[in-house]
Amino acid sequence: MDKDEIGIDLTPRTNKQPRMPRWVPGLVLLAVALTIMGLIWFLATNSQSFLEADQAVAEREELGEKRFQLLGSPTSTAGSDQTFIVENNEYTFFTIVFDGVYVDVVSQGTPPDLFDQGVPVVLEGNWENSPLPIEGYIFSDGVNDGWWFSADRILVKHDNDYRKDRIDDAENRGQTE
Amino acid sequence: MKIKFMAIKETQNNTTSSRITRFLGSCLVLGVPALILFAFVFSPKDDTMEDAVRLLYIHVPVAIFSYIAFGITAIGSIFYLWKRSRWWDTTAHASAEIGVMFCALTLITGSIWGRPTWNTWWEWGDVRLVTTLVMFLMFIGYLALRQVPASPEVRAKRAAIVGIIGTINIPIVNRSVEWWENSTLHQQSSLTDGNLEDLTLFTWFLGTLIIGIAYLWLLIHRFRVGWLATEYEAQGYGVAIEERQAEARAHNTETSGHLEEGEVE
């Protein structure tokens, strides 16, 4: 039976839906492969890594003025006697400790709400071995050896303990003495 | 195969609800207000985080059920490739959609949590945050791939491959806080460390139960909608062929007077 015999074309109609180009599945697979490779690359090289205070002190010479993230726990809550305004810039002076190693810190701006003694913080900045913004300032718990960490960002690394009578386990985690 | 049976049965009533979904829905109607009460009224504030701790009751359950949802997608994908069953493909698709929604909620609530707790909405170098975002994007890609025009079999096969690959990221996301402890602000699991107690622990369990019921309720409904869509798609070809045959028969009847009997076969 063909068109001439019955006078009607029974050839199946072409699909009017847009046909996907042959390269689209390849592109999708390429996107998936690139995503996986990007993830591996990120995990292997590009993810941030906090330097613990003791490690940062040990590597101080090599780090020089390089910017990095420093992990440690404040030895005290930032009080009003530790905050100063110098040339319209607010500075907070405090000390952090990790594994018994202390680091004096001068931070620009006001510390976040959860900034507290024993609560681990991640500070972004670099080592300085120059005069402090307030010359002659003495860190009450600090090292006061001329080296200090200049931070312009404070992040809080909150722990996972929500018990009412929780023990401040920063010591158990090795983040304090 | 019970769900499949119910899906077909319910098709006759033009509805995706059934006794089980009505039961689950009723549990949600009662459970969500109870969760709100426990989360905002009965459970205590945290000593340091204060009210921000209440996000725990939604953030952690949606994160857990996004893992489960993507895990079900992977299982459905594996079984589709093995059995070539439309049931498994529809299950994988339904679960992926809900997983994407839960994963988006995880990212949003996590960001809201991060601002008062960590002092930042988002950190691009943070391992937990970025791997979760990658997981979210991979399953967005999975859903996008399902929209690419193709025959149902080809579409299901492609989606199954991506669904399996995307799931590889789940253990990385989950374990990242332990494997890269110094590369994330995110805390480790409070539950496995036994750091939740009393009403905080109870409210967390309640939140997990409610989100679990919501997942199941959504999964069954979405499965049934998906099943109806594939049935419609499959029936569509049959209807089109029947229409063409009827058209040909009608035309044939009109022209048969001009042809001798037995000529048109």
Side-chain angles (χ1 to χ4, degrees):
Chain A
M1 181 173 71
D2 60 20
K3 189 178 176 182
D4 293 336
E5 287 175 324
I6 62 166
I8 185 169
D9 181 13
L10 285 179
T11 310
R13 287 171 183 158
T14 53
N15 190 350
K16 288 179 183 172
Q17 279 192 326
R19 300 288 296 176
M20 183 177 63
R22 285 177 179 275
W23 49 265
V24 169
L27 187 70
V28 170
L29 282 176
L30 183 68
V32 170
L34 284 176
T35 306
I36 292 167
M37 284 167 64
L39 183 65
I40 293 167
W41 171 75
F42 167 78
L43 292 171
T45 62
N46 201 43
S47 61
Q48 62 192 357
S49 191
F50 315 140
L51 273 184
E52 291 153 358
D54 56 334
Q55 195 184 351
V57 169
E59 296 173 13
R60 196 155 53 190
E61 298 294 338
E62 297 145 47
L63 287 165
E65 292 184 358
K66 187 184 168 190
R67 192 175 166 81
F68 65 97
Q69 291 180 311
L70 176 68
L71 175 68
S73 301
T75 56
S76 63
T77 305
S80 56
D81 59 331
Q82 293 165 257
T83 303
F84 304 92
I85 294 175
V86 180
E87 295 172 357
N88 292 327
N89 291 318
E90 187 180 326
Y91 294 99
T92 305
F93 293 66
F94 57 93
T95 300
I96 61 165
V97 60
F98 193 101
D99 217 9
V101 176
Y102 290 78
V103 172
D104 297 334
V105 179
V106 178
S107 165
Q108 286 183 45
T110 310
D113 293 342
L114 293 190
F115 184 92
D116 202 358
Q117 181 181 356
V119 176
V121 289
V122 174
L123 309 169
E124 280 186 21
N126 57 277
W127 280 116
E128 289 279 356
N129 191 14
S130 56
L132 291 163
I134 296 199
E135 282 192 49
Y137 181 87
I138 303 293
F139 292 87
S140 57
D141 301 323
V143 194
N144 297 299
D145 62 351
W147 283 95
W148 50 283
F149 188 78
S150 173
D152 53 22
R153 198 159 179 243
I154 302 177
L155 303 171
V156 177
K157 190 170 163 58
H158 191 271
D159 66 25
N160 62 352
D161 197 344
Y162 299 96
R163 289 171 296 159
K164 203 173 180 182
D165 303 319
R166 71 172 143 225
I167 304 159
D168 186 0
D169 62 350
E171 191 174 329
N172 296 338
R173 290 192 304 268
Q175 289 173 335
T176 61
E177 279 183 295
Chain B
M1 298 305 283
K2 248 184 183 173
I3 294 175
K4 180 183 176 182
F5 171 73
M6 283 185 288
I8 294 165
K9 187 182 168 189
E10 293 303 326
T11 306
Q12 295 159 2
N13 301 327
N14 292 324
T15 175
T16 58
S17 73
S18 62
R19 197 175 296 167
I20 188 158
T21 56
R22 282 190 286 274
F23 171 74
L24 293 172
S26 304
C27 290
L28 288 176
V29 168
L30 296 172
V32 171
L35 177 61
I36 290 169
L37 272 178
F38 273 96
F40 288 97
V41 182
F42 301 143
S43 66
K45 282 182 184 178
D46 183 64
D47 289 344
T48 52
M49 291 179 66
E50 299 195 343
D51 284 320
V53 75
R54 302 183 196 284
L55 274 165
L56 186 82
Y57 309 129
I58 183 79
H59 173 74
V60 181
V62 290
I64 289 171
F65 276 94
S66 69
Y67 298 154
I68 291 172
F70 294 145
I72 296 289
T73 297
I75 291 168
S77 300
I78 290 165
F79 273 88
Y80 174 77
L81 292 177
W82 181 23
K83 303 276 186 186
R84 300 284 165 176
S85 153
R86 188 157 57 100
W87 191 91
W88 282 112
D89 178 53
T90 310
T91 303
H93 184 195
S95 194
E97 279 193 5
I98 302 161
V100 163
M101 187 182 73
F102 280 1
C103 196
L105 276 174
T106 305
L107 290 166
I108 292 165
T109 54
S111 187
I112 295 169
W113 163 291
R115 185 64 188 87
T117 309
W118 303 334
N119 196 31
T120 181
W121 295 101
W122 182 265
E123 281 295 297
W124 278 109
D126 191 292
V127 171
R128 169 57 79 85
L129 272 54
V130 173
T131 52
T132 306
L133 180 67
V134 168
M135 184 170 76
F136 174 70
L137 293 176
M138 285 201 82
F139 281 91
I140 287 279
Y142 171 91
L143 296 180
L145 186 63
R146 296 199 72 102
Q147 299 303 315
V148 175
S151 71
E153 292 75 23
V154 172
R155 183 180 59 210
K157 189 177 164 187
R158 283 176 188 155
I161 293 166
V162 174
I164 294 165
I165 294 171
T167 313
I168 295 167
N169 197 17
I170 293 177
I172 296 174
V173 176
N174 184 253
R175 297 286 94 192
S176 58
V177 289
E178 282 155 24
W179 292 345
W180 295 279
E181 191 186 358
N182 274 353
S183 297
T184 179
L185 292 170
H186 201 286
Q187 64 192 47
Q188 296 187 3
S189 168
S190 297
L191 189 71
T192 51
D193 287 359
N195 288 339
L196 296 173
E197 63 179 8
D198 302 335
L199 271 180
T200 309
L201 180 63
F202 174 78
T203 311
W204 180 85
F205 268 120
L206 184 65
T208 307
L209 181 70
I210 297 301
I211 295 297
I213 292 172
Y215 168 72
L216 204 57
W217 182 73
L218 286 167
L219 181 69
I220 295 172
H221 276 296
R222 185 62 191 88
F223 172 89
R224 288 171 180 172
V225 171
W227 186 266
L228 290 174
T230 53
E231 282 212 324
Y232 176 79
E233 194 177 31
Q235 284 172 3
Y237 288 114
V239 170
I241 290 165
E242 277 178 19
E243 280 176 359
R244 288 304 311 279
Q245 283 174 341
E247 193 183 332
R249 275 196 297 273
H251 187 86
N252 210 9
T253 309
E254 281 174 20
T255 55
S256 60
H258 307 289
L259 298 167
E260 288 180 17
E261 197 176 336
E263 198 172 346
V264 181
E265 272 301 328

